[in-house]
Amino acid sequence: MYSSRMNLLHSPNFSLFHIPKPLNFPRSRINISSPFPLRSHFPPLYPIKCAPVNSSDSLQPDPLQPQTTKQNSVPILEILKQSNTLLPHVVIASTLLALIFPPSFTWFTSRYYPPALGFLMFAVGVNSSEKDFLEAFYRPAEIVTGYLGQFVVKPLLGYLFCIISVTVFGLPTAIGAGIALVSCVSGAQLSNYATFLTDPQMAPLSIVMTSLSTASAVFITPLLSLLLIGKRLPVDVKGMVFSITQIVVAPIVAGLILNRFFPRICNAIRPFLPPLSVFVTALCVGAPLAINVESVKSPFGLSILLLVVAFHLSAFIAGYILSGFIFRDSPDVKPLQRTISYETGMQSSLLALALANRFFPDPAVAVPPAISTVIMSLMGFSLVLIWAKSKE
């Protein structure tokens, strides 16, 4: 048996690795031009993707694998960042709530206003850089135009509506004095935030305008009050300087320092600033209305409301037209028009309210500033919504 097997192995016709000979079909029986090659009938069982070993694509996650963390976190951050678009609606809701249920806002007294406005300025500082503020000082023409809108155009409109309130509407002289007093005060810090929401690159310029008008208001406001109302108003110079430092300078500097030296902290808190800013703005709008709701509901309330609306509307329009005429050849004329319109149409009505309560014995003088606080905010942030939509 063993010898027969060995003979078989040594046989010339035996091969351990037998490879059959290819079949020699005639060439005429193979259709070379067939649109269905033979291999198309046997597709591979799995899709094959070749990539170099060092390619980053070889380490990419499977697109069919659900990425739950990314899909759940990104929309939340986007919602937080887009909270500013709800600001006009929130302001309207806070106004209605203050009228229907005043105790919801009466707890937010005037002592909370400096830190609240300071927080809004901090939010602007976190989203800006020191270079932006340095560049703002190299635009003296724009700063002067905003200053003229604050202390020339607006007081003239205030005096005009003061005359209209007395001669046309037959309102008491104290009401006209209150309208004129509103036109004599400096710009509001809310105008800086409104500018930031519409044109972020213009926010430093707006802050410089408001700071200069507030600093000079210690001299300009008493002078304008004497010219328009005939009453000398002593203003606390030290108090005004401290107010500017507390509300504007310190929060912005803190935001700039945080943005410069601690960018990771800024990136962590930046998505939460818009919703908090919306909440703070709603408090700043609803509280003055809730505290002075009885004055708003007075017999002259509707007439004063119409006059204050007309005053602010004309101030917004005047600032927009004036800056458009002066800077018509500027490449950023539209952002400038919006910025100076905010500066002209929005002013520190809370300061006017404080001056009216302190230096005027007639309580009717305080009614226009109380209504102006609400109307100024409503109109300003309504323009934010309109202009933001037009930019899109």
Side-chain angles (χ1 to χ4, degrees):
M1 177 69 69
Y2 176 76
S3 60
S4 63
R5 289 181 180 179
M6 291 300 295
N7 294 331
L8 178 65
L9 290 175
H10 290 286
S11 172
N13 296 325
F14 177 82
S15 175
L16 185 63
F17 301 97
H18 178 69
I19 301 176
K21 294 182 180 181
L23 300 177
N24 295 323
F25 292 105
R27 296 182 62 89
S28 60
R29 297 181 64 179
I30 299 179
N31 189 2
I32 302 298
S33 61
S34 174
F36 303 99
L38 292 177
R39 61 172 179 164
S40 64
H41 294 283
F42 303 95
L45 295 178
Y46 302 99
I48 298 174
K49 180 180 179 181
C50 298
V53 175
N54 297 328
S55 174
S56 60
D57 294 339
S58 61
L59 300 178
Q60 292 296 326
D62 188 354
L64 299 179
Q65 187 73 19
Q67 303 294 324
T68 55
T69 303
K70 185 175 180 180
Q71 291 179 357
N72 292 335
S73 61
V74 172
I76 296 177
L77 294 179
E78 290 300 323
I79 291 173
L80 292 175
K81 292 178 182 179
Q82 297 299 324
S83 300
N84 290 328
T85 59
L86 302 175
L87 186 58
H89 310 288
V90 174
V91 169
I92 294 174
S94 62
T95 302
L96 296 176
L97 184 60
L99 290 173
I100 297 172
F101 188 64
S104 58
F105 288 100
T106 51
W107 61 271
F108 195 79
T109 58
S110 58
R111 66 176 179 173
Y112 296 114
Y113 268 79
L117 296 175
F119 172 76
L120 296 179
M121 294 300 100
F122 172 77
V124 175
V126 167
N127 290 276
S128 305
S129 65
E130 63 275 11
K131 182 181 178 181
D132 299 329
F133 287 90
L134 292 176
E135 291 178 352
F137 285 99
Y138 290 99
R139 309 187 72 167
E142 289 82 351
I143 295 175
V144 171
T145 303
Y147 196 86
L148 291 176
Q150 280 283 348
F151 288 130
V152 176
V153 176
K154 189 175 62 180
L156 290 177
L157 292 173
Y159 183 72
L160 174 63
F161 283 97
C162 172
I163 299 299
I164 293 175
S165 65
V166 176
T167 59
V168 177
F169 286 82
L171 298 176
T173 306
I175 300 298
I179 296 175
L181 183 61
V182 170
S183 68
C184 295
V185 294
S186 58
Q189 280 77 26
L190 285 178
S191 65
N192 308 145
Y193 189 60
T195 301
F196 171 73
L197 295 178
T198 309
D199 301 286
Q201 75 279 10
M202 291 292 173
L205 179 62
S206 175
I207 292 171
V208 171
M209 291 178 183
T210 304
S211 300
L212 291 178
S213 67
T214 305
S216 59
V218 297
F219 309 106
I220 302 299
T221 297
L223 178 61
L224 290 174
S225 301
L226 181 62
L227 292 175
L228 301 183
I229 307 174
K231 185 176 180 63
R232 186 184 300 275
L233 298 178
V235 179
D236 184 8
V237 177
K238 292 183 179 179
M240 293 284 284
V241 173
F242 177 75
S243 177
I244 297 171
T245 305
Q246 182 185 21
I247 297 176
V248 179
V249 179
I252 290 177
V253 171
L256 292 175
I257 292 175
L258 197 66
N259 192 18
R260 177 64 182 273
F261 298 102
F262 304 96
R264 291 186 178 180
I265 297 178
C266 283
N267 293 332
I269 66 174
R270 193 173 283 124
F272 301 95
L273 292 179
L276 291 176
S277 300
V278 170
F279 176 71
V280 170
T281 305
L283 293 176
C284 292
V285 172
L289 178 60
I291 296 172
N292 300 276
V293 67
E294 296 300 328
S295 300
V296 176
K297 295 180 179 180
S298 64
F300 305 109
L302 181 59
S303 299
I304 300 172
L305 178 65
L306 294 176
L307 287 168
V308 171
V309 168
F311 164 71
H312 284 290
L313 180 62
S314 59
F316 279 116
I317 294 174
Y320 191 85
I321 294 176
L322 175 66
S323 55
F325 176 77
I326 295 176
F327 303 106
R328 58 185 179 274
D329 297 329
S330 177
D332 54 354
V333 58
K334 289 300 180 182
L336 275 175
Q337 285 184 281
R338 292 188 285 263
T339 300
I340 297 179
S341 177
Y342 288 134
E343 291 297 314
T344 309
M346 304 177 73
Q347 65 284 321
S348 183
S349 301
L350 290 175
L351 175 60
L353 182 61
L355 294 175
N357 290 327
R358 183 175 181 180
F359 298 110
F360 290 87
D362 193 338
V365 179
V367 178
I371 297 178
S372 172
T373 304
V374 180
I375 297 302
M376 175 262 298
S377 303
L378 282 175
M379 297 183 70
F381 290 111
S382 296
L383 286 176
V384 169
L385 180 62
I386 294 172
W387 280 333
K389 290 292 184 181
S390 64
K391 288 176 63 178
E392 295 177 0

